[in-house]
Amino acid sequence: MGQVRIELWAMTVGAVVNGLLGSAVMPRPLRLAGYKLLGAQVRSGNIFPGLRVYGSMRNLEIGRRTFLNAECYLEPVAPIRIGEACQFGPQAMIVTSHHPTLPDGTVSRIAEGRAVEIGDRVWVGARAQILPGVRIADDVVIAAGAVVTRDCPVAGVYAGVPARLVRKTTVDTP
């Protein structure tokens, strides 16, 4: 039943979201209107072509002045909240589905969603991956290629696989 639902989504909403709205020929204002019409809470029209969304548009929230570069991948199986004035490099990825280990040691074939929250003024480098259940504080920089497996609770630069704090930063608030 779940596989049928996934296939139906891909042929309908998925085709509109990823094929039409994500197209390079779609003007940004129309892309924004389409995302909103499908239930996303998107407050920024600065989303470049190639965005791929696999999950419920109702689970997606993107703050004002946030920029998503080309070919980013979002999987809002569980809620994804991206704050204001964030910057995402090309092919950055946010995944919310998790397959837990069962009591017998096997991995469940049924995905569970774990929400991802990203604060304000966060920079996410090219091809960085943010995994299920992660919370990222305001004013964090995620280095290109980093894999974020745990929360990033303080302002600073996180890099590596898995990502870890490599430098704290001080933030001047206006």
Side-chain angles (χ1 to χ4, degrees):
M1 180 65 169
Q3 189 62 35
V4 170
R5 189 177 49 205
I6 291 169
E7 293 298 326
L8 287 173
W9 184 90
M11 291 185 306
T12 56
V13 176
V16 171
V17 171
N18 299 322
L20 181 61
L21 296 176
S23 167
V25 298
M26 178 62 63
R28 284 194 227 177
L30 291 179
R31 183 176 297 129
L32 174 62
Y35 292 151
K36 286 182 176 183
L37 187 66
L38 292 169
Q41 297 174 44
V42 180
R43 295 176 187 87
S44 175
N46 207 4
I47 299 173
F48 270 27
L51 175 65
R52 296 289 176 249
V53 180
Y54 293 95
S56 174
M57 294 298 285
R58 291 185 303 268
N59 282 339
L60 182 57
E61 180 180 344
I62 300 173
R64 293 180 312 112
R65 299 184 326 273
T66 288
F67 169 72
L68 272 68
N69 208 323
E71 299 178 11
C72 288
Y73 177 99
L74 306 177
E75 186 204 37
V77 170
I80 294 175
R81 184 202 162 276
I82 301 171
E84 295 189 359
C86 295
Q87 304 283 329
F88 282 72
Q91 298 180 347
M93 175 184 287
I94 301 173
V95 178
T96 65
S97 67
H98 168 76
H99 295 268
T101 302
L102 300 173
D104 67 0
T106 62
V107 175
S108 173
R109 295 178 61 90
I110 300 170
E112 295 177 357
R114 292 184 178 173
V116 170
E117 289 188 34
I118 298 173
D120 296 335
R121 299 170 305 280
V122 171
W123 285 64
V124 179
R127 291 196 171 180
Q129 298 175 37
I130 300 169
L131 299 185
V134 169
R135 286 176 170 51
I136 298 175
D138 294 345
D139 303 301
V140 163
V141 175
I142 305 296
V147 178
V148 182
T149 61
R150 284 181 253 156
D151 291 353
C152 300
V154 299
V157 178
Y158 293 77
V161 180
R164 64 188 184 287
L165 181 64
V166 296
R167 186 177 76 229
K168 284 187 179 180
T169 58
T170 55
V171 179
D172 295 330
T173 52

